[in-house]
Every structure is written in C-alpha cells, then in structure tokens.
Amino acid sequence: MKPTIQEQTRSQQSDKRKQILSIATKIFFREGYGRASMDKVHSELGGSKRTLYNYFPSKEALFEAIVTQVSDQVLTALRPPLGDADLRTTLVKMGNDYLGVLLSPVGISLYRAMVSEAPHFPELAHTFFENGPSRSSHHLAAFFRDQNAQGLIEVSDPQIAAEHFLGAVRGDIHLAAVLTAKRPSKQMVEAAVAQTVRTFLDGVNPKL
C-alpha cells in the first residue's frame, strides 16, 4: 500500500530531524557547548537557515534534544527483558545494556561535555541531569516498586536503591573510560556487572 502524502511528509520531517541531530551532536562534542553555534550547524547542514530554526528554535533546544536522545537510549537499556527471566538475570541484562550506552562514543562525549561546561552553564547542567541521570534512576525505581509490590524484593526506598544500583554499575569502569579514553573489554564489563548484581541482591534480600 502506497504511503499517503501525510505519511511521506512525516517521514521526511523525521529524517531531517535525525540529520540535524546527527550533525549537531558531532559539532557540540567537537567544539563544546560554549563554542558551538547554530551557524556552525547550519553551515554543515546546508539549505535554508529557516529550516533549522523550524525544527530547533535555539541552541539550548538543540542540545536538550541531544541529551534526551541519549537518555532515551539509556531508558531503553533499563527496560526489563521480555519473558519470565528471574530478577538476577533481569538486573544483569539491565546493567550490561546501561553500561553499554554510557561507554559508547556518544555517551562518553556527552558526559565529558557536561562536566566541562557545567560551571559555565548551570541551567544546561540542570537540564542534563533532569533529562539524563535523574530520568534513569526514576525509571529504574519504578521497576523496583513493582518488584516490591510482587513481594520479590524488600527495599524501603526504591529511588535510593535505583541510584545505588546505577552508581555501582558505573563504578570505576565508566570513570576510567572518561579519563583515559580506553574502553574496557566486554569480559571486564560483564564481570563487573555480575559482581554488582550479586552484591546488590544480597542487600535487598530477594525472595527467590
């Protein structure tokens, strides 16, 4: 069935938005937020400057979209796997997927950019925190509340538990990658996540 004109238009708009985000991501991470500009994005994008501003009215809006895009990848990684996997298997998969996003080139670049720019752009840092780390911990906390309701775990504060779990998963592996630019092997990541899950589950007393 041939797509309608409206469907074709929506598809074209989606493709253009992705193109803008792809170009802007490279510029923001290469130049830093302070030095990046809408003019630089337009220079690499080409076409009408009005088109760029129709999609993103400001540099702040464009960067927020980049942060949200990476955050959405993290939230996808934290979704419980389908099927009847037990809690331990679920947390191992979550941990590996979550760390995989953080250790990706975009994840590392975004973290470095925010640490560098936060003192100069506090509102931007707040936006990053709310759309990134905060969204992730709240999303995982909702999963822990559901596990609590089913009687599978006993945790008095799901939000704090989520923050502790994600912090333990990041551990020194993420910090080392940020500082040294050396990405750990898959085996190192899997071993670290497995140990984190073992330690975490001992603390929440799983009823398995």
Side-chain angles (χ1 to χ4, degrees), residues 24-204:
T25 297
K26 294 176 182 177
I27 292 175
F28 275 71
F29 293 161
R30 183 182 70 222
E31 306 283 343
Y33 180 83
R35 292 180 294 278
S37 68
M38 296 292 275
D39 285 340
K40 289 182 179 179
V41 174
H42 172 253
S43 177
E44 293 197 23
L45 177 66
S48 168
K49 185 177 290 188
R50 181 178 179 181
T51 299
L52 172 61
Y53 280 92
N54 281 341
Y55 283 90
F56 301 100
S58 66
K59 183 171 79 168
E60 292 80 3
L62 183 51
F63 190 77
E64 184 173 347
I66 293 172
V67 172
T68 301
Q69 179 175 258
V70 177
S71 176
D72 286 343
Q73 294 174 13
V74 171
L75 295 186
T76 298
L78 291 177
R79 290 195 179 102
L82 298 176
D84 299 321
D86 61 25
L87 179 59
R88 187 179 301 275
T89 302
T90 297
L91 289 179
V92 167
K93 185 178 189 311
M94 282 183 176
N96 281 308
D97 291 348
Y98 172 69
L99 200 51
V101 175
L102 296 187
L103 293 173
S104 68
V106 171
I108 292 293
S109 296
L110 178 60
Y111 185 86
R112 286 176 176 161
M114 288 314 310
V115 170
S116 173
E117 303 293 350
H120 311 292
F121 302 95
E123 291 185 4
L124 181 68
H126 177 75
T127 296
F128 166 75
F129 181 78
E130 291 300 322
N131 287 349
S134 184
R135 281 182 74 197
S136 301
S137 62
H138 279 83
H139 183 81
L140 185 57
F143 170 70
F144 286 153
R145 288 190 188 94
D146 179 67
Q147 295 292 296
N148 251 346
Q150 295 182 51
L152 296 174
I153 60 174
E154 296 175 359
V155 55
S156 59
D157 193 322
Q159 179 61 40
I160 292 179
E163 293 170 9
H164 286 178
F165 179 76
L166 295 179
V169 167
R170 289 192 302 271
D172 282 352
I173 283 185
H174 179 243
L175 184 59
V178 170
L179 296 177
T180 68
K182 293 181 179 179
R183 185 169 180 174
S185 67
K186 180 180 179 181
Q187 292 76 14
M188 290 176 61
V189 170
E190 290 178 348
V193 170
Q195 180 59 57
T196 297
V197 172
R198 282 195 296 271
T199 302
F200 182 79
L201 288 182
D202 286 344
V204 299

